Amino acid sequence: MLRSWRALGARLSTDAGWGGCAVALVKESLYILDLKEHFYPSRIERGVINKDELGLYVFASKPSSGAAIFKF
């Protein structure tokens, strides 16, 4: 699925509180819709994931500068 969306990179993260999530760098925000339509339905049907909670599992984020120290 990531290849068809021309992912710039992807990784399964198991550290730093990410809890085994996949992080993918894709250019299109429509990737999330495609993921919800083609990857998750079988898991919803089996009761593994609640459809109403899907937004907790699949979401977009933007890169930032990371942690910083502010001096007041």
Side-chain angles (χ1 to χ4, degrees), residues 3-69:
R3 287 183 184 164
S4 66
W5 277 92
R6 297 182 185 172
L8 301 174
R11 167 175 191 227
L12 177 64
S13 181
T14 59
D15 57 347
W18 285 78
C21 74
V23 177
L25 299 173
V26 293
K27 290 184 179 181
E28 302 287 334
S29 61
L30 294 176
Y31 172 74
I32 291 177
L33 295 175
D34 196 43
L35 188 65
K36 289 179 178 179
E37 290 179 9
H38 295 99
F39 182 76
Y40 282 101
S42 64
R43 286 147 182 83
I44 293 169
E45 291 170 6
R46 292 192 318 247
V48 175
I49 294 174
N50 182 334
K51 184 177 182 177
D52 296 330
E53 297 176 350
L54 192 54
L56 299 174
Y57 303 106
V58 183
F59 55 89
S61 62
K62 295 182 179 182
S64 68
S65 61
I69 297 174

